[in-house]
Amino acid sequence: PSHPGEESPPTPPIGRSRATAPVPVVPERPLPRAVAPWVVALLGGGSGALLTVAVALRSHATLAEIVALVGVVCTALVTVACFRTVKVIHIRRIEKVRTQAQTGRVAGLLESARGMTAQNSEAAVYEQLKIHSELLVPHDHFELAVFDESGKLAGRYSAAGIIDGYNATPTDAELTVYRSGAPIFEDGSGHTPLDVAGGASTVRLEEVRDAHIPVYAGEAVVAVTTIRRRHPGYTSDEIDALATLCQQGGIAIGRARLFAQVLAAKREWERVFDATAEGLALIDEQGRVRRCNAAFAGLAGMSLGSTIGQDHHGLRGIGIAAGADCAICNTIRTGSRAERVIQSAQGRVLKLTLSPYPTGGAVLVAQDVTAESQVRGAEQQLFESEKFAAIGRLAAGVSHEVNNPLMGINGLATVLLEDPAFTGENREMVALIQRESRRAAQITRDLLSFVRAEDGARGSISLNAVAHEVVELRAVAQHSAGITMTLDLAEDLPPVWASRAQLVQVVVNLVTNAEDAVEQLARREIRVSTSRSGRKVYLRVEDSGPGIPEELRARLFEPFFTTKAPGKGTGLGLSLSFSIAERHSGSLRAENIPGGGARFTIELPASESRAAA
Ligand code: ADP
């Protein structure tokens, strides 16, 4: 390993096995006991004194000489014992300090474990590793070499932070040693790596200056921590503490990498979610929006924050029908797929696709299909108008051609009837010919008026007034048929620019059709309502009848299409009403009411907007 301003050591040996066992160091001697010197002094002093007395007695020494000799021997022994005791006390005190340091280190390691595993970013883990290694094993230099998932050096981290490219990339040989996962110890010479796993069974820690400790995440070495002391020497406790710290660091780095991966995957999905043009939402089992994308919040006409947690019935812009008709409630309850096309509060046409969510709730995809439906509507209208124009031309030609012979038949019948001699059964037959030819002439006239649809005088009229007039016109007939008709008219309805007579004719057509639909039923109700939305004014006729069978829907506005008995219906009412609505720049729509019955809606532009146009 290299450091700033220093020579790189020669290539260290390659191919070490991963060292997981604690670092073997020179074994320490057991602690001496404080009583030991005194036992030695007592035994030594006693035997020395006895020996002295014996020698003195043999050489006839005086009592004073013997006492002096014994005193000298005992004094010497007590002095030695005192020195030994002082030394033992000193060693014990050092050991006590060491034990305290070790206890402090254990507490420090616990603290560092807490500090590192609380970090979600790798850089924060490096920082913690740096701080705690400094606290546990004071040193003069710290460095961390970090490897990426493929084992390449991703960067180096020093006390000053990330130091990409700092002091050149380590050599391949250095990297191999690093990745081998063995701790490496170097002495101060910078030439001999004092590694423990390469063959030598012990390392003299007091000679070590640089310690390189691997940091594992699972099986892979993700980093190598290097610490340096200017004055060589570490204790085995310090190295053990550093190894444990690096082990914790590895777990924390692994965790931070996993967190980063999960976060990146989450962000990626969120970006995909938000980039989708369709509104996407996950609705929980309680019917609340658990998650949604920006497009969905846009369709709901709300901010993303307020959309999340909102009950789906409260999504203003989307306006999902409540009650038994609610497709979302149905999907949550039954787990079935559903599709609906609805009109949003902002007048957009939305296609809602619902799928059940595997663990309950529903996934809602909302697609704005306004443009497509407008194109479809315009195509349909074009088709209808062209069809009507063609039918009109045909009808006009036929009426004109049929009218001439009819006039002839009628004229000749009149001549015959003017002859008083022409009597009996023959006269009655000619009278019938005259009546029927007049009726046929009336039909051709009706046809021509339908085709030309002479506009009649137009003025600013209120659809509410039209509704009132129709009530009066139909009151007697409805009373005798037991039909109840209710009016639900908007108060602030703007006027429309129209022919009052023609609009009355349209509403009478719709109301008489409704009367026919409910006539045979127990519940005979008709409701006429008016409303406005923006620059549009609406008049709706709804009935409690059987509704329009799906297969007849497409043919409803065709001239002469009728399901009524001959003589009762001509099949011209709806087609005439349709062309009148069109001539007023409006439209006529038919639909079934979800609860039952049919609804016909006339839509006309409000007259202010017409004036503005
Ligand atoms: P007619 O009333 O002479 O039959 P229309 O053009 O008015 O002609 O109506 C065409 C057909 O549309 C009717 O024969 C009937 O089948 C159907 N229809 C019209 N209004 C309703 C309604 N309110 N409910 C059910 N069907 C209806």
Side-chain angles (χ1 to χ4, degrees):
S2 49
H3 294 284
E6 288 178 8
E7 263 191 309
S8 287
T11 309
I14 294 172
R16 292 179 181 79
S17 62
R18 178 183 154 183
T20 47
V23 179
V25 290
V26 178
E28 287 157 43
R29 274 181 291 161
L31 275 186
R33 292 176 162 276
V35 285
W38 293 102
V39 174
V40 173
L42 210 63
L43 292 175
S47 45
L50 284 176
L51 200 69
T52 312
V53 170
V55 171
L57 283 176
R58 289 210 58 178
S59 57
H60 308 287
T62 63
L63 187 63
E65 282 168 341
I66 293 170
V67 169
L69 262 171
V70 169
V72 169
V73 170
C74 288
T75 309
L77 285 169
V78 166
T79 311
V80 171
C82 279
F83 274 118
R84 283 298 299 164
T85 307
V86 168
K87 193 174 172 193
V88 166
I89 288 170
H90 180 67
I91 290 170
R92 288 195 155 263
R93 187 172 296 146
I94 288 173
E95 185 53 31
K96 198 173 161 199
V97 170
R98 253 178 88 175
T99 311
Q100 277 171 352
Q102 206 166 355
T103 316
R105 232 173 254 133
V106 170
L109 280 170
L110 282 174
E111 182 58 36
S112 64
R114 262 199 298 275
M116 284 192 292
T117 46
Q119 307 304 323
N120 287 332
S121 89
E122 265 189 71
V125 176
Y126 305 157
E127 186 62 26
Q128 291 285 319
L129 206 54
K130 185 196 86 189
I131 293 170
H132 288 284
S133 69
E134 174 66 42
L135 289 174
L136 288 172
V137 186
H139 51 257
D140 300 306
H141 178 79
F142 172 88
E143 194 182 318
L144 191 74
V146 184
F147 305 107
D148 64 16
E149 255 115 89
S150 61
K152 284 219 319 268
L153 185 79
R156 300 180 122 183
Y157 183 86
S158 79
I162 300 279
I163 41 166
D164 266 328
Y166 159 76
N167 197 26
T169 314
T171 62
D172 282 350
E174 283 172 352
L175 284 181
T176 313
V177 174
Y178 276 170
R179 288 193 209 106
S180 72
I184 301 166
F185 300 105
E186 289 183 69
D187 63 15
S189 70
H191 292 288
T192 325
L194 298 170
D195 58 289
V196 288
S201 60
T202 58
V203 58
R204 298 185 64 77
L205 288 177
E206 59 269 28
E207 289 170 18
V208 170
R209 191 185 65 161
D210 290 0
H212 309 281
I213 311 290
V215 178
Y216 283 95
E219 284 296 305
V221 177
V222 289
V224 170
T225 302
T226 297
I227 59 166
R228 162 177 298 181
R229 277 183 173 164
R230 207 172 293 129
H231 304 293
Y234 295 87
T235 67
S236 60
D237 288 345
E238 284 177 329
I239 296 299
D240 282 349
L242 195 63
T244 310
L245 180 74
C246 289
Q247 208 177 355
Q248 292 166 351
I251 295 167
I253 289 174
R255 191 181 158 280
R257 284 188 179 176
L258 191 68
F259 183 80
Q261 275 171 6
V262 172
L263 199 70
K266 177 177 174 277
R267 294 220 173 106
E268 196 171 80
W269 272 112
E270 277 172 355
R271 275 197 287 274
V272 171
F273 207 54
D274 274 340
T276 311
E278 279 83 35
L280 300 175
L282 174 62
I283 313 284
D284 68 16
E285 278 162 277
Q286 279 75 44
R288 284 188 300 262
V289 178
R290 195 192 301 162
R291 304 193 65 173
C292 73
N293 65 354
F296 185 84
L299 290 174
M302 294 159 78
S303 71
L304 196 61
S306 54
T307 311
I308 291 168
Q310 177 68 245
D311 184 87
H312 67 276
H313 291 124
L315 297 170
R316 283 185 260 120
I318 293 184
I320 293 157
D325 276 340
C326 177
I328 295 181
C329 290
N330 279 343
T331 299
I332 294 173
R333 207 174 42 247
T334 61
S336 55
R337 282 177 62 84
E339 249 185 40
R340 284 271 197 294
V341 177
I342 60 160
Q343 188 148 27
S344 78
Q346 292 118 335
R348 315 291 302 167
V349 181
L350 301 182
K351 183 175 161 201
L352 306 181
T353 310
L354 283 148
S355 314
Y357 190 67
T359 55
V363 177
L364 171 58
V365 180
Q367 220 178 334
D368 188 336
V369 292
T370 314
E372 289 93 314
S373 73
Q374 274 169 352
V375 170
R376 260 202 309 279
E379 277 172 355
Q380 183 68 21
Q381 263 181 14
L382 194 66
F383 175 68
E384 296 288 341
S385 359
E386 279 173 359
K387 194 168 76 175
F388 282 132
I391 293 170
R393 279 195 298 278
L394 181 73
V398 171
S399 307
H400 190 260
E401 289 305 315
V402 170
N403 224 17
N404 290 340
L406 279 179
M407 297 283 277
I409 295 167
N410 189 34
L412 288 174
T414 312
V415 172
L416 280 178
L417 289 175
E418 274 169 7
D419 182 0
F422 198 65
T423 53
E425 206 176 297
N426 285 347
R427 188 179 180 86
E428 273 172 30
M429 284 197 289
V430 175
L432 186 64
I433 290 170
Q434 191 193 36
R435 266 203 316 278
E436 289 302 304
S437 64
R438 278 189 185 154
R439 202 162 78 87
Q442 180 60 44
I443 292 174
T444 57
R445 261 199 306 280
D446 280 357
L447 262 178
L448 278 174
S449 81
F450 164 66
V451 172
R452 293 194 203 106
E454 283 135 274
D455 263 6
R458 290 194 181 188
S460 182
I461 59 154
S462 158
L463 283 185
N464 286 352
V466 170
H468 279 297
E469 193 172 330
V470 175
V471 168
E472 278 170 29
L473 285 173
R474 300 302 306 161
V476 177
Q478 287 178 356
H479 182 73
S480 60
I483 296 170
T484 341
M485 183 154 97
T486 49
L487 287 187
D488 183 4
L489 306 178
E491 278 176 13
D492 60 342
L493 205 66
V496 291
W497 189 259
S499 153
R500 182 182 176 112
Q502 285 185 357
L503 287 192
V504 168
Q505 191 185 349
V506 171
V507 182
V508 166
N509 281 342
L510 299 179
V511 168
T512 46
N513 275 344
E515 288 168 7
D516 291 344
V518 299
E519 202 179 24
Q520 305 297 326
L521 303 175
R523 206 172 132 230
R524 279 163 276 181
E525 286 164 17
I526 299 173
R527 178 171 173 267
V528 177
S529 59
T530 54
S531 63
R532 70 174 297 178
S533 170
R535 310 302 316 152
K536 302 279 185 199
V537 188
Y538 301 90
L539 185 145
R540 291 186 179 84
V541 177
E542 296 166 337
D543 62 57
S544 58
I548 305 146
E550 195 53 47
E551 65 276 11
L552 302 187
R553 271 276 276 271
R555 306 193 55 202
L556 221 54
F557 297 103
E558 273 179 20
F560 308 111
F561 171 76
T562 180
T563 57
K564 294 173 191 168
K568 185 141 174 62
T570 60
L572 281 174
L574 285 182
S575 58
L576 188 58
S577 303
F578 187 93
S579 75
I580 290 175
E582 266 205 328
R583 279 167 217 274
H584 284 80
S585 315
S587 66
L588 175 63
R589 285 198 306 273
E591 66 198 315
N592 281 332
I593 305 170
R599 175 190 293 139
F600 285 82
T601 307
I602 309 165
E603 180 192 302
L604 293 170
S607 67
E608 303 102 81
S609 60
R610 184 191 169 279

